[in-house]
Amino acid sequence: MTARRNFKRQVRARAAKTGESYTSALRHFRSTPSGDVMPEARNPQSVRLAVAQTPMRDDPRDVDALRESGRQVRALMREASAQGARIVHFPEGAICFPHKLVMSVDGPEAVGPADWSRCQWPVLQAELAAIAESARELRVWTVIASVHRLTEPNRPHNSLYVISDRGEVVTRYDERLLSKTKVSYMYSPGISPVTFEVDGARFGCLLGIEIHYPELFAEYEKLDVDCVLFSTTGVSPGAAAVQAQGHAAANSYWVSFSVPTQHGATAPSGVIAPNGDWLERCPADGSPSVAVVDLDDGSEAAAASVTYARPWRREARAGVYAGHQVTDPRSEDRTAAF
């Protein structure tokens, strides 16, 4: 407790000296993955995030369904903007999640290689362009899932586009650890993590079944993200939501969990604090909606995890225990009784 009080005094002293908020001063003392002090430029303020749940449509041949998905996304972008969100995050399949049997050359009764000529690419691209224009008009960052077309004969990526508040695609995350069906018949895997910043807060992206790979979440902790945006269509009812809580608590960062409305009754979209608690969730009635949260490391739900747990875990992994290990026969003898 004494060490904790001393640490708080150091943070307050810096805040008083520089004129920063407590949260900004706190960031100066957080360790980077290499153990160095974080650069002065990394002093993010609170950022308001909206996480969405939208209906999932699975036939990319259906022009009317693609257009309706686009309209629904833009309506929720307006709702998020009206609530002051700086960034809005959508689920996998927000425009369309092509069904393996719909796309299969051996379908509709058997799974086979996907025939991507069945996709209404011009309509999909037009809806994404309209979403980007809405992001510019509303001045809200938008993270939206879609299929990303590659040069034939390469299969597309399953992706998350990051669209800035200027309406520009600033980066894209491609799902790396795909399901067996996805990688065998449908998509080309991505190759790298992706981070981006909004108002000084750093975000990372994950997608699909990657909730089952804790090493990907740990990778983003090493990249010093403040929040991971995770989009999926499948939650095995509720299991993925529980895993997301575990990843948030284990890595002491925020996790935004975005799923389609079909899962609203068991695992609605929501935002998890760095201590693993849900802060806000969309309605469980399956309605298209957004949940809005301020990502503030100085808040009660985050301060202890960000200030103490995350730096200590980094210190522990860096070998802090080596100097405390002892040579003792009773330690070496695993059968020593009591």
Side-chain angles (χ1 to χ4, degrees), residues 276-300:
D277 290 342
W278 290 100
L279 286 186
E280 192 68 43
R281 304 188 79 172
C282 290
D285 59 7
S287 60
S289 56
V290 292
V292 180
V293 166
D294 289 326
L295 306 185
D296 182 356
D297 282 356
S299 66
E300 182 178 354

Side-chain angles (χ1 to χ4, degrees), residues 221-278:
E221 195 282 329
K222 292 179 181 177
L223 292 172
D224 204 44
V225 304
D226 300 290
C227 178
V228 167
L229 306 175
F230 172 67
S231 298
T232 190
T233 59
V235 297
S236 305
V242 174
Q243 286 180 282
Q245 287 183 273
H247 294 314
N251 294 289
S252 298
Y253 53 43
W254 309 83
V255 171
S256 180
F257 178 82
S258 187
V259 297
T261 54
Q262 285 89 329
H263 298 299
T266 55
S269 295
V271 180
I272 307 164
N275 63 3
D277 290 342
W278 290 100

Side-chain angles (χ1 to χ4, degrees), residues 9 30 38 53 58 60 74 82 90 152 159 161 222 265 297 300:
R9 279 197 290 269
R30 283 177 59 185
M38 289 186 65
Q53 60 184 28
D58 62 10
R74 292 188 290 275
F90 287 92
E152 294 183 358
S159 303
Y161 290 107
K222 292 179 181 177
D297 282 356
E300 182 178 354

Side-chain angles (χ1 to χ4, degrees), residues 28-336:
H28 177 75
F29 291 89
R30 283 177 59 185
S31 301
T32 62
S34 63
D36 298 327
V37 174
M38 289 186 65
E40 290 290 336
R42 289 279 289 133
N43 284 323
Q45 304 296 318
S46 174
V47 176
R48 182 161 289 185
L49 164 72
V51 59
Q53 60 184 28
T54 59
M56 185 184 71
R57 298 173 175 92
D58 62 10
D59 189 347
R61 304 169 301 180
D62 189 334
V63 171
D64 290 339
L66 292 175
R67 289 175 174 161
E68 179 57 31
S69 290
R71 284 192 289 269
Q72 184 68 74
V73 165
R74 292 188 290 275
L76 291 178
M77 289 172 66
R78 291 190 292 272
E79 182 178 336
S81 177
Q83 296 187 51
R86 285 287 290 132
I87 177 170
V88 56
H89 167 215
F90 287 92
E92 185 180 29
I95 303 297
C96 182
F97 187 69
H99 195 284
K100 58 189 177 184
L101 294 177
V102 170
M103 304 302 292
S104 173
V105 296
D106 300 324
E109 302 301 327
V111 178
D115 177 5
W116 285 103
S117 68
R118 298 176 182 180
C119 180
Q120 288 288 334
W121 291 108
V123 178
L124 177 61
Q125 291 162 348
E127 292 306 317
L128 290 168
I131 288 166
E133 177 61 19
S134 291
R136 186 192 66 81
E137 292 174 352
L138 296 169
R139 304 294 293 177
V140 60
W141 286 69
T142 302
V143 180
I144 182 79
S146 183
V147 179
H148 179 72
R149 194 176 192 180
L150 300 184
T151 306
E152 294 183 358
N154 295 319
R155 294 171 180 162
H157 291 310
N158 185 38
S159 303
L160 282 171
Y161 290 107
V162 179
I163 303 170
S164 76
D165 58 358
R166 295 183 177 182
E168 301 166 346
V169 176
V170 296
T171 191
R172 188 192 70 251
Y173 177 72
D174 307 318
E175 186 181 5
R176 292 174 283 167
L177 298 184
L178 303 161
S179 70
K180 186 173 182 178
T181 296
K182 280 181 176 179
V183 76
S184 298
Y185 300 114
M186 300 190 73
Y187 299 104
S188 298
I191 59 173
S192 65
V194 163
T195 64
F196 66 97
E197 294 192 12
V198 177
D199 299 343
R202 183 173 293 160
F203 294 86
C205 299
L206 291 173
L207 186 59
I209 69 164
E210 292 181 331
I211 193 73
H212 303 306
Y213 296 93
E215 62 270 28
L216 298 184
F217 287 85
E219 176 183 45
Y220 277 123
E221 195 282 329
K222 292 179 181 177
L223 292 172
D224 204 44
V225 304
D226 300 290
C227 178
V228 167
L229 306 175
F230 172 67
S231 298
T232 190
T233 59
V235 297
S236 305
V242 174
Q243 286 180 282
Q245 287 183 273
H247 294 314
N251 294 289
S252 298
Y253 53 43
W254 309 83
V255 171
S256 180
F257 178 82
S258 187
V259 297
T261 54
Q262 285 89 329
H263 298 299
T266 55
S269 295
V271 180
I272 307 164
N275 63 3
D277 290 342
W278 290 100
L279 286 186
E280 192 68 43
R281 304 188 79 172
C282 290
D285 59 7
S287 60
S289 56
V290 292
V292 180
V293 166
D294 289 326
L295 306 185
D296 182 356
D297 282 356
S299 66
E300 182 178 354
S305 296
V306 172
T307 305
Y308 307 115
R310 190 169 182 178
W312 172 248
R313 290 183 187 127
R314 288 177 172 180
E315 190 174 349
R317 291 177 179 128
V320 69
Y321 301 107
H324 299 276
Q325 292 170 348
V326 298
T327 300
D328 187 313
R330 286 187 57 78
S331 174
E332 296 168 359
D333 184 358
R334 301 291 179 183
T335 64

